[in-house]
Every structure is written in C-alpha cells, then in structure tokens.
Amino acid sequence: MTSPHNDVQPVAEPGTGYVRKGDGVPRVDGRAKVTGQARYAAEHLADGMIFGVVVNSTIAKGRIATLQLDAARAVPGVVEILSHLNRPRMRKLDLFYKDMTAPAGSPFKPFHSDGILYSGQPIALVLADSFEAARYAASLVRVQYVQEEHETHLLSHLERSHKPSRLKAGFSPPPDETGDAQAAFDAAPMQVSAEYYAGVEHHNPMEMHASTVLWGEDGHLTVYDKSQSSQNSRWMVSHVFGIPKHRLTVKNPFVGGAFGSGLRPQYNLILAVMAALHLKRSVRVVLTRQQMFTFGHRPETWQRVQLAARADGTLAAVLHEAIAETARIEDYVEVVVNWSGQLYKCDNVKLGYRLVALDHYSPIDMRAPGAAHGIHALEVAMDELSYAVGMDPLALRLHNYSERDEAQDLPYSTKELRACYEQGAARFGWSQRPMAPRSMREGHELIGWGMATGQWDAMQMFARAHAELHADGRLVVGSAATDIGTGTYTVMAQIAADAMGLQLEDVVFRLGDSTLPVAPIEGGSSHVATVGSAVEGVCEKLQKKLFALARRLDDLPFAKARFADVQFREGSMVLQGGPGGSCAISLQQLLARAGETRVETKYLMLPNILKQKKYVRATHSAVFCEVRVDEDFGTVRVTRVVSAVAAGRIMNPQLARSQIMGGVVWGISQALHEETHADHRLGRFMNHSLAEYHVAVQADVHDIDVLFVEEDDRIVSRLGAKGVGEIGMVGVAAAVTNAIYHATGRRIRSTPMTPDKVMTPGMGWEARDSAVGIGVGLDPRSVAR
Ligand code: MOS
C-alpha cells in the first residue's frame, strides 16, 4: 500500500535558472498541485485504515442525557463509537489544553464531558472500515438532551458586554484616551455618528479540515493535519495526550487554503488521534463542508464611530467603540479599534473594545482579523464625513494624513501610504470623479466611485532554518514553515537561490514537517519577514563556512581575502580584485577539493525587538473601486478595483499580486455576499453550505489592478520586506460601500450589502434583521440609542 513518507518535494522546473529577490517567479509547487501529486491531509492512506465520521450536537446548550448507538453499531464495518463516555485517557487539567495562539486552558475540549456548549459540537465519532459505513452509521446515532436556554444573538446582549480578559500573546488592548474626545466632538461644527454591523463569516477554504493519523510499527504517530503550523498541532496533541515529541510527527506539506481556520488545531485532530490511540490503528477524520461551520468564525461585531471635523476638514475627534461576540469558554480577541488612533492625525481619540459571551463556538482569526471590521467602519465613517464637510474623500484623508502614531507617540518604520493614494488615484482616474452622488448613470445602472484606506501589521516572529549544500551542487534549506497556498515554497527557495547564487531548480525548500527547525504559525502575513529572514540568515552562515573552506586552498587567492570581498553568483564563489587577485570556484568544485560530501549549518533568526519597539510597523493600501448598481434590482457589480499597496520590498511580484488579488476578491465577498445566519431559536447556523453561504465567484470578479509602491523596510526585516497576505482585503469592502453611496445616495452600514439593503431606502440593518424574523428579542431602538 501507499507509503506514508513519499511527499512530493516541490522544486522549480529545469531551466528556470538564476533568480533574484524581486523577480516574478511562478510557483514551484504549481505542477505538483495541478497534477494531483501534491497530497493533502485527507489523501494519505495506510493498510487497515479506519475512517471516522463526527456526529454533532443539534442543541446549543445543555447536556447529553443519552446516546443511542445500537443502530449505528449494527452497521456492517463499524468498529467503535467514541464519545465522552468511553474516550481514552486524556489529560484532565485545563492547562494541558493549549495551542500557540491562545492562553493555556482556552481551547475547546472535545468529548470532555456530557456538556453541550454550542450547536454543532462534536459529541460522537463513528469509526468504521470505510468512510461510507461510518457516515451512514453516524446518521443513525440518536441523542437525548437536557436542554438549557441559550443566547446566540449579539445585538440582544450588547448591554452585558465585558472587558476582555486572559488575553492572547500579541493582542494590544485599545490605548488610553488622548485629549477629551467627547468634548471635542460636541464642540466641532461637522459631525458624523453612525453604527455599523457585520454578521458572522465562516472560512471556506477549498480543502476541508482533516487529520490522518498513521500508526507506526513502533507506536510512532505520523499525523497529516490541515494546519497553519505543523508544530502547533504537535504541541497540542503532545500536551493533551501526554505523547512525547519524539513519538509524534505532524506534517502539513500541502494546505488547500486556510485563511486563519488552521491557526488553531481543530477538533478533527484531537478526535483522530484519540481514535488511533484507542484502536492502535491508522485513522482518518475528514470534516464535511457542513461541519466546516462547526468551529471558529469571524465574530459578529457591532461598532459605533463618531468623527468630528472643523469646517476645513481637520479631524477634531475620533470615537470608536466595538462590541464583538466571544464564546463562553474563552475570550477571543482581535484588534478592531486601535487602527482608528493611527490612520489619521487627531488630538482627541477615544477607543473602546468589549465582548459579549455567547453560546457559540469561539470565534477565530479570519484574514485581516479585526482590521476587516474596524478599518471598514472607520473608512465608511470617513466617507460620510467627506460629504458632511463637502470635501473629496481622498483630499480629506490626505488633509489628515498621520506622519506618526500620535496615540503611542511613535514614528512609522516606513509608511508609503501617500504614494499609494497618489499612484492608485492616478491609475484609477480618481480626479475625474464628480462629487455628488447619483451623478453617473448608464442605462438602468447607477455608477459610483469609492475609495478607502487599508492598514495591517508588519510582524516578525522568530524562526530557525537549516541549510545543507551537497556535493552535486544541490542546496536544501528547511524550516517548519507552512505554505497555505501563499507561495512559501517558492519565495523561500528564491531567497536562498539569490543568496547562494544558485539556479532556482537546484534549491529545495522543505517545510510542513514538525521535525524541521522551529518556525512560527503561518499567520498575520509574517512568514516572509520571519522565515525569509531566517533563510537568508542561514545562507549567509553557509557562505561563511564555504569561504572558510576556500581559504584553506593555498593555491587560490581566497586565502588572503576577506569575506566581504567574495560574492556568490552563478554557482560559484567569486573573488574580484582581492589582495591576491581575482578568482572564481564553483561550489561543487569547492566541496570536491575540500573533500566534503556536504556542508551544513543552522541559524536562529531573532527579531531585533528593542529596535522594532521604537516604531509602528505596518503595511498600507489605498483601494479605489467602481460599482454599477442596478436601480431596480439592487444588485451590485464591482467592475473595477485599483489596489495600491505599500508592503516593503516585494520578494516575488507575481505571487504577491496573487495575494492582493485574492484579498480584493475576499473584500468583494465581504462587501456583497458573505454572512452566516443563525436561527436564534435554535442557536444554530442555518446556511452551512456553499449553496447558501455565498462567496464571490468568477462572475463577481471583474478588473483588479494591483500596484506595489516602492518601499524598503530594514526595521521589519533584513530583506526589506513586510508581508502581503492580509493587506489585500483591508479597506476593500469600505471602498465598495462608499462607491455604492456615490452611485445611489444610499448609505449602507452593514455587510454584506445584499440587494434588499441596496434597493430599499431606509432598510438599515436593524430594520432588516427584525424584518426577516431572525432578530429574536431584538428591539432596534435598544441599539440605535
Ligand atoms: Mo491569518 S487570519 O493570520 O491566517
């Protein structure tokens, strides 16, 4: 049967040749993916594998009274049904439940007890010798519950919001108030005060979450897990089950998208390992698309933004508060409002962020977590203010441009947002925009132009990398990084090839294996600045080792040269004009003459935190878009988007452009399509399928023009790079909202902006939410205040 250890190793096509950082290089994993050689977490097989199918709760709160399993057990092929009643031994203490993104004790504990914490909670795992038998048997499991009252409706419970506690590492609570925001607001002549609402969104990567546990002869577990960090999954499993690291390997060499859903190990991992330990066999657990809606999501969020300006458009006050949902079991936090103290210069800023615990699964990071909501509300409010002041929206932003972060009193490491505004506006033709709404029309379509700003963090974590140069000239570099479809394989190989002066096809970058040198989670758009810097660092160490070898060759002038005098290019170490003259030796020759079959080294990249702390480090964007709104049907087409991005040095413009395009598509999707609706009587998400949870498709996507402005940031990383994963979507939905207003004169303050909201004057989100009967217990006046 299939061997578990034959993961295809992506490498550039022969003939690719020498590449530099900054070259547009096609992805090295492209062929493996389109030919199906790249195998994902659910595609690994072993002899005698057992297939697990999860049964989920149908109530939101209470406990399991009885589980009726006889009919399921009678299905031919069923070998076992696990639940809280018979699960194997696991660590009991909360503290053992930890992952790298959350405080110890935070994560959900599947099958821990008979308690039901949310609708969709895994309550049983049916194990059979075929997936089909397991799935059929799972449908026969009957459950009796003792039901309790649940609360899943954020807007009905805003008044019991609380300040977040037990914060995860890296979270910054809103800074203290500067000036006197309310007094400044009240005194200013121009005021905008509005509430914004965004419903729940679920990640819908192409690849469903899955874990395959391969039971080794010696009891060693090899787990293929869909994850944004193999080491995070290993951490979780080894803590929960008390398995030492050397008996457990987690792999994720290929991941079919994740967008944050894989930042934390999901219940499929715990259940698959539980079953494998219980049966002492290989087990695979794959979630269905419907089950993809039974763990983390982007939190439902209510916001109020108050902006005040002097008559000339100078911002006098910014007040921004957000109340988001969290779970009963933990406080999920994200940075929603802090951006409002950074993006514009203002002396009076007051920010607030609170949570409401609901009977849902805990929210989890989703692409540009926090910014996707917070900057959306701020940027729509800025647009509203531009009309109040009678100023072009771009001119208003330039007028209030912040050269430094006033709240923290820090400069930016680099900030080329002004260039984004200017170049984006020029590319779009923004200067041709008429000020008044409803002034452009073509047939039955109203046309509008809108713009917004985006910002995201430029983070750097720590990472290790390993490099070995073989006698045949092949370079293998490795780090336990992840490629969730973003291009890690390609960019890391490219950075290494550039550093060592090798052809791209001679460089292999290994990732997706917990036994590789430590790397952080692939999240927060930090992988290039982090792992890329570790890769360049390990190559520099390797160069020094090779140089030391060359200096031992007495017949060559390297002996008298300094390291600074040599270059690595075209497969050789080159000395130009040193004291002993010029010379070049191929790396293969060098290893041959030194009698080495390979030269290897390791490197630990630690960010220079003391230096970085003195700066705000962020990526920026300016998004311009055109919408066409059908006046009769309220349908919106986003016909043109220009996204101008400042994200430091771009390592690979071809892949970076894909990242930004993906972000823009997601922004269009957030603006027009995506929302998971709960039936609050059941406390359950209703549209848990791609038929009813709409995402932007090909027909929703038209012209997207991406441009990168010049930026080089050596404070964020030695590469000058910042990272491009999330900045692509921030501000996109706001630009669409603002364009819809420009087209129609209707201000829509909730996403998604579905046709009912667009075509019905005065159909605000409060009215709509109760009009369609899902706002159980909601009195719109209670939140309109
Ligand atoms: Mo991203 S939400 O950091 O995967």
Side-chain angles (χ1 to χ4, degrees), residues 229-246:
S229 163
S230 58
Q231 291 179 334
N232 194 24
S233 295
R234 182 182 66 184
W235 221 54
M236 179 82 160
V237 168
S238 69
H239 280 114
V240 168
F241 293 97
I243 304 173
K245 274 195 333 194
H246 66 267

Side-chain angles (χ1 to χ4, degrees), residues 83-137:
S83 70
H84 66 285
L85 298 169
N86 63 341
R87 65 172 163 79
R89 198 188 69 84
M90 294 161 74
R91 294 277 187 71
K92 281 208 183 68
L93 279 177
D94 266 12
L95 287 179
F96 287 114
Y97 283 79
K98 52 184 168 185
D99 63 59
M100 289 172 176
T101 74
S106 260
F108 168 69
K109 302 185 275 293
F111 294 7
H112 195 67
S113 72
D114 61 356
I116 298 294
L117 302 170
Y118 71 99
S119 182
Q121 174 177 321
I123 53 174
L125 180 70
V126 178
L127 296 153
D129 58 15
S130 75
F131 174 73
E132 291 75 12
R135 192 154 191 199
Y136 174 60

Side-chain angles (χ1 to χ4, degrees), residues 389-445:
V389 178
M391 218 168 154
D392 173 82
L394 175 56
L396 178 70
R397 285 167 173 85
L398 285 166
H399 183 73
N400 291 289
Y401 194 84
S402 78
E403 298 291 354
R404 57 190 279 120
D405 180 322
E406 309 281 336
Q408 300 181 71
D409 193 26
L410 293 174
Y412 291 95
S413 56
T414 51
K415 180 179 177 179
E416 291 299 331
L417 175 58
R418 201 185 290 279
C420 295
Y421 284 141
E422 284 162 4
Q423 293 176 31
R427 180 76 64 91
F428 186 83
W430 184 258
S431 62
Q432 304 301 308
R433 178 181 180 270
M435 269 291 282
R438 300 184 72 89
S439 48
M440 295 192 288
R441 170 190 288 277
E442 221 174 85
H444 61 105
E445 280 188 324

Side-chain angles (χ1 to χ4, degrees), residues 633-651:
F633 294 112
T635 46
V636 177
R637 294 189 298 140
V638 181
T639 43
R640 207 152 64 81
V641 178
V642 172
S643 175
V645 174
R649 277 183 78 198
I650 301 301
M651 293 292 106

Side-chain angles (χ1 to χ4, degrees), residues 47 57 83 85 99 107 179 187 224 248 265 336 552 572 599-600 623 666:
D47 288 324
S57 77
S83 70
L85 298 169
D99 63 59
Y224 284 90
L248 175 66
V336 179
R552 287 194 222 136
S572 296
V599 179
E600 62 183 307
V623 186
W666 193 307

Side-chain angles (χ1 to χ4, degrees), residues 228 258-261 263 365-369 456 484 522-525 726:
Q228 287 170 246
F259 313 109
S261 66
L263 287 173
D365 289 332
M366 181 191 278
R367 202 166 189 170
W456 183 250
I484 54 176
E522 182 174 24
S525 306
E726 336 217 25

